[in-house]
Amino acid sequence: MVKADVLLGLQWGDEGKGKIVDVLTPRYDAVARFQGGPNAGHTLEFDNKKVVLRSIPSGIFLCRTNIIGGGVVLDPVLFMQEAKEIENNGIDLHKILKISKKAHLILPTHRLLDAANEKAKGASKIGTTGKGIGPTYTDKISRNGLRVGDLFDRFGEKYERCLNRHLDMLRRLGETPETAALERQWLDAVEYLKGYDIIDSEYYINEMLDNGRSLLCEGAQGTMLDVDYGSYPFVTSSNTVCAGACTGLGISPHRIGEVYGIFKAYCTRVGAGPFPTELFDETGKHLRDLGHEYGAVTGRERRCGWIDLVALRYSVMINGVTRLIMMKSDVLDGFGTVRACTAYEIDGKVTDRFPFDADAVDIKPVYTDMPGWNTDLTKATKPEDFPAEFKAYIAFIEKYLGVPVHIVSVGPDRTQTVVVRDL
Ligand code: GDP
Ligand code: IMO
Ligand code: MG
């Protein structure tokens, strides 16, 4: 039986999923996004071009079949913008993209509700991407959502009902927005969306696998942003973990093959919430500058810190990761010493577990220091090019996590990718 491999983030997002999905794509017959929406920003760099994908799978440049799965939330306006940009790159998107009928639609009022909810939270706001993600998933769970498949059956009626509910909610939050222009723009984009191949993706995907065609499932966000197992409430509103590929695409757990867990050689987070290894000093600033750590979608500064092996081991456990991928190794090139957090000290007690109340307790990271490598890794093409200190850093991480590293990324370009173990 052909199994579906899953690639997902192990930290707080932005690990470099887009780049690696693009690199792995030629090995697969299809690529599918299983959750999240335009809160994602997946960056691909090749042939001196840089593309940021938000809802469209990162297999779009090298794969004949790309699927937006049922677990995704889709904003027609942003989708249309993104699609046109990709078509300008010479890709015939209508031919290679399929969209699940079960994906939920983000309305302009979902975005307004996202902003109003954040405002109402005041100092305890999440720092969302403002794309309407939370309110759209809330509507889905409360059984009020509007799905892509609804576009073809009494859509006007369903849309009006949804809109009026939202306007009521906004009024109760003290907002009286002018929505006419937003609505017009959205309804135009809906017409554009209807031109795509809108399918029963769960049948399509299972039949594809039955027929021996391979699939890579692309996650968005990261495990520590998962709505159930992330640093709640500072999370996104979907299941970013491996199980999310099953629910988001309608495939059985038996059909999952390799689970690629991807992480940065250090750690970042954007938005509010606990981040035990965050650095507030010059080193943190240095990581941000060297790693160009600014949000691909919002341009916000990403918070930076050393690698957190406690959180990473937790993520490996939750996802059943079988292969690790380490990104942005080159960013650490110039550091005399590199540090890895191997435990937390909380109220004088040392633990290697990620705590339930991470946002409420004071976590002091316990570090192991290792010598840096002072070598430009960006030109490395094979494992033999790696200096001993860098190999030792990888070995230390593998030992702690109990899973082998298969790919090491040494720069943003597609070609700056070193396969260190068989794929
Ligand atoms: P994603 O959301 O997980 O796809 O990651 P993002 O695209 O939001 O952020 C990753 C950023 O790091 C992008 O700007 C990539 O171009 C860049 N990047 C990816 N891999 C590497 C790497 O190995 N080294 C460096 N320096 N940059 C990388
Ligand atoms: P990719 O796929 C990093 C964060 C937001 C905020 C929280 C909730 O590019 O890795 P939301 O808009 O989802 O309700 O925001 O989640 N967040 C991300 N952080 N990368 C992402 O996606 C993110 N998507 C959401 O900053 O803290
Ligand atoms: Mg991103």
Side-chain angles (χ1 to χ4, degrees), residues 332-338 370-375 389-390:
L332 297 185
D333 278 355
F335 288 83
T337 301
V338 289
M370 282 164 274
W373 39 92
N374 282 305
T375 308
E389 293 83 357
F390 181 56

Side-chain angles (χ1 to χ4, degrees), residues 323-341:
R323 295 175 170 183
L324 290 167
I325 301 177
M326 186 162 92
M327 307 301 290
K328 301 193 92 158
S329 317
D330 53 298
V331 173
L332 297 185
D333 278 355
F335 288 83
T337 301
V338 289
R339 316 190 83 185
C341 167

Side-chain angles (χ1 to χ4, degrees), residues 13-19 40-45 50 52 58 218 221 262 264 290-293 295-296 302 326-331 409-413 416:
D14 302 328
E15 296 89 350
K17 299 174 289 294
K19 169 184 163 164
H42 296 176
T43 314
L44 277 58
E45 289 194 32
K50 177 172 169 170
V52 179
S58 302
E218 174 181 5
Q221 290 78 55
I262 179 164
K264 283 179 192 173
L290 292 169
H292 305 291
E293 294 296 355
R302 293 181 185 145
M326 186 162 92
M327 307 301 290
K328 301 193 92 158
S329 317
D330 53 298
V331 173
S409 175
V410 294
D413 194 84
Q416 292 173 299

Side-chain angles (χ1 to χ4, degrees), residues 81-99:
Q81 275 173 19
E82 189 180 340
K84 293 197 164 163
E85 214 179 298
I86 290 175
E87 291 200 307
N88 287 341
N89 276 290
I91 302 288
D92 186 356
L93 207 57
H94 284 83
K95 263 210 185 111
I96 60 176
L97 183 68
K98 300 182 185 304
I99 302 173

Side-chain angles (χ1 to χ4, degrees), residues 126-180:
I126 310 294
T128 72
T129 58
K131 298 287 182 268
I133 305 298
T136 307
Y137 278 114
T138 302
D139 273 0
K140 168 177 171 170
I141 300 300
S142 68
R143 296 159 295 185
N144 287 300
L146 205 54
R147 297 181 293 172
V148 172
D150 290 322
L151 297 177
F152 303 97
D153 175 41
R154 293 176 295 121
F155 175 65
E157 199 183 300
K158 292 176 189 169
Y159 169 73
E160 285 297 322
R161 202 180 314 138
C162 219
L163 178 69
N164 289 330
R165 263 187 65 251
H166 291 170
L167 292 175
D168 253 6
M169 289 160 81
L170 284 163
R171 268 192 292 275
R172 269 181 269 126
L173 285 161
E175 309 284 336
T176 48
E178 184 45 65
T179 56

